[in-house]
Amino acid sequence: MKDFIYYAPTEVVFGRESEEKVAQLIKKYGGTKVLVHYGGKSAQKSGLLPKICDLLTQGGVSYVLLGGVVPNPRLSLVHQGIGLCRKEGVDFILAVGGGSVIDSAKAIAYGVPYSGEVWDFYLGKATPTAMLPVASVLTIPAAGSEMSEASVITNDDGDVKIGYSNTLARPKFAIMNPERTFTLPPYQTAAGVTDMMMHTMERYFSKDDDMDVTTDIAEACLRSMRNAVTFVLDNPSNYRYRAQIMWAGSLMHNGLTGCGVSDDWATHQLEHELSGMFDVTHGAGLSAVWPSWARYVMDANLSRFVRFAVNVMDVPNDFTDPQGTAERGIQAMEQFYHRIGMPINIKELIGREVTDDEIKEMVRKCSRDYQRTCGCLKVLAAEDMEKIYRMAKG
Ligand code: NZQ
Ligand code: ZN
């Protein structure tokens, strides 16, 4: 069992009307001048953004606005945000949106007190010692950024997508009103659940299998999400199941399902190159690559894949054929992905065959010019990454 630190300091304010507390919470965490950061159209269209602005005004909190965050958030807008915050004397950043908006907010928050180039943190060339406080009003359960220490940014110059984690970036609070997710399109709902399940699967498929409590929590969350997403796709305005998804999205990435185990993250690393290169939805990129990753690595801990098949995917355990049981678990996951409208290979993801040159370029980027490996259950060198991308071609 691996030693661990569990640190999840974000105050969660969950439920109907929870956004009413926004001004009070900002003041509690010391904010006096706020950057309200948001995405494209959804928060404006649903009326959430104007409502947050009204609540801030009524609560005596002054603010400036910066919208325009796109999925796979770009470094150029982060630079713009840093400039705006400095000019306006902003001391608190409120993200109104999903993972992309929250990650962009975190990057701006790193950059404001730093005299150098913020991208250096993502490249591992520098380490932040301070950042502005960040919080969110979450509108899409998926990335888990509302409680996580991670931020993933795409540098528009070369479409390189890199994640950076630091405990400083744990948000101060997260406002979660499941009703705000009723407007999510089916594709985003399904991609979001795919992502949150993968956050736990990255930790579940571990070399360490002696932390029973963590494993049991992980399996329960995964089963709940299988059920909830199926129900919500047919009943988009069902509060009960939207709420399960919203809460699970945070729990499945705030560290809880990783206590005592070594985590893997190879599927995420392989996916970041897909969304960096093709600008696809992160969750859909994950389902396109996971079945191939799973088949490539499953012998590294076969009993774990058998356990997943039986306890999560309801596959009957054939004790005489663990390999077959594990394979049927992966097939059941593929069927689940298809049922909820997610791709199971790159062709389904991007609508055409990926070329050899594109695969080579993704391998080069994913291995950081052949200098790094990824994964933990099975450590993947550049040639392994290439084999998995080829298996996932479709
Ligand atoms: O831009 P708008 O118009 O708001 O539309 C968004 C966007 O197009 C829409 N949307 C959000 N809430 C909505 C809504 N549409 C209707 N009703 C609502 N209530 O959904 C689209 C996707 O939004 P986005 O924020 O991109 O989604 P998500 O939360 O999945 O974030 C994805 C990003 O997070 C990164 C991913 O790589 C990707 O860049 N990740 C961040 C992590 C972290 N910080 O811990 C971990 C993850 O593994 C992930 O890598
Ligand atoms: Zn993810």
Side-chain angles (χ1 to χ4, degrees):
M1 190 183 302
K2 212 180 143 201
D3 296 344
F4 65 90
I5 294 172
Y6 178 60
Y7 179 64
T10 306
E11 179 172 349
V12 173
V13 182
F14 193 98
R16 295 182 176 93
E17 309 294 327
S18 48
E19 56 268 5
E20 299 289 336
K21 299 193 179 68
V22 67
Q24 182 190 323
L25 285 163
I26 288 172
K27 287 186 201 161
K28 176 175 171 181
Y29 290 101
T32 59
K33 179 82 184 267
V34 178
L35 174 73
V36 178
H37 201 31
Y38 61 99
K41 291 185 275 306
S42 74
Q44 185 77 46
K45 206 170 142 199
S46 69
L48 177 62
L49 187 66
K51 181 167 184 188
I52 295 294
C53 293
D54 286 350
L55 287 166
L56 293 181
T57 306
Q58 285 161 24
V61 177
S62 64
Y63 64 88
V64 287
L65 290 164
L66 180 64
V69 180
V70 291
N72 307 314
R74 307 299 200 270
L75 183 62
S76 50
L77 190 71
V78 170
H79 286 148
Q80 207 180 311
I82 293 169
L84 180 65
C85 287
R86 286 182 184 154
K87 180 166 154 262
E88 297 285 342
V90 163
D91 57 16
F92 196 101
I93 306 187
L94 181 71
V96 180
S100 295
V101 179
I102 303 170
D103 286 2
S104 182
K106 288 175 180 175
I108 295 170
Y110 283 131
V112 173
Y114 182 59
S115 57
E117 167 52 55
V118 69
W119 187 242
D120 286 350
F121 299 142
Y122 292 78
L123 291 176
K125 289 185 183 170
T127 305
T129 52
M131 71 187 286
L132 294 188
V134 172
S136 73
V137 180
L138 186 66
T139 64
I140 169 171
S145 187
E146 66 280 3
M147 285 186 86
S148 85
E149 59 184 16
S151 158
V152 188
I153 297 295
T154 298
N155 188 338
D156 334 31
D157 182 11
D159 293 337
V160 183
K161 185 174 180 181
I162 302 183
Y164 174 65
S165 293
N166 188 310
T167 50
L168 285 174
R170 299 266 183 190
K172 298 294 176 209
F173 64 82
I175 289 176
M176 300 189 213
N177 177 354
E179 287 178 337
R180 295 290 174 189
T181 69
F182 290 178
T183 52
L184 277 172
Y187 192 78
Q188 289 298 336
T189 300
V193 172
T194 301
D195 188 22
M196 63 180 72
M197 289 176 79
M198 197 63 68
H199 294 153
T200 283
M201 287 155 68
E202 297 276 19
R203 295 159 163 121
Y204 179 90
F205 291 106
S206 173
K207 283 186 288 205
D208 307 300
D209 33 23
D210 53 355
M211 185 32 136
D212 303 327
V213 170
T214 296
T215 301
D216 289 345
I217 292 171
E219 289 172 353
C221 289
L222 289 167
R223 280 196 308 271
S224 277
M225 287 308 95
R226 264 185 72 197
N227 181 35
V229 69
T230 309
F231 193 84
V232 148
L233 288 173
D234 289 336
N235 306 274
S237 301
N238 181 282
Y239 185 88
R240 175 179 169 172
Y241 286 98
R242 285 286 190 192
Q244 314 304 313
I245 292 174
M246 198 164 210
W247 183 219
S250 302
L251 291 184
M252 292 173 96
H253 194 35
N254 74 359
L256 180 68
T257 60
C259 295
V261 298
S262 336
D263 39 11
D264 189 83
W265 298 104
T267 306
H268 265 72
Q269 304 302 339
L270 292 163
E271 191 290 325
H272 282 170
E273 304 316 326
L274 287 169
S275 45
M277 182 176 281
F278 302 108
D279 203 16
V280 290
T281 302
H282 169 62
L286 292 170
S287 65
V289 104
W290 184 80
S292 300
W293 170 85
R295 291 190 172 99
Y296 193 76
V297 308
M298 78 177 177
D299 288 336
N301 189 350
L302 189 59
S303 63
R304 203 69 175 166
F305 281 87
V306 169
R307 190 176 165 145
F308 176 80
V310 176
N311 289 0
V312 178
M313 301 311 294
D314 300 325
V315 170
N317 197 350
D318 179 351
F319 292 96
T320 64
D321 181 17
Q323 200 94 24
T325 305
E327 169 59 28
R328 282 187 284 284
I330 297 167
Q331 286 169 8
M333 197 65 189
E334 289 178 318
Q335 285 156 14
F336 165 73
Y337 285 146
H338 271 168
R339 266 202 312 283
I340 64 170
M342 288 291 104
I344 61 165
N345 56 52
I346 301 174
K347 191 173 180 185
E348 290 181 3
L349 176 72
I350 65 172
R352 64 165 171 85
E353 284 212 1
V354 60
T355 67
D356 271 7
D357 284 351
E358 287 166 340
I359 288 182
K360 288 199 165 70
E361 181 61 0
M362 287 193 290
V363 171
R364 185 186 69 74
K365 285 179 174 169
C366 194
S367 64
R368 306 281 187 267
D369 285 315
Y370 317 103
Q371 298 303 307
R372 76 153 187 183
T373 58
C374 66
C376 180
L377 177 59
K378 182 177 171 75
V379 177
L380 305 177
E383 55 267 29
D384 302 301
M385 298 173 198
E386 181 165 347
K387 282 181 192 153
I388 293 172
Y389 282 132
R390 288 193 188 285
M391 284 168 70
K393 267 179 95 166

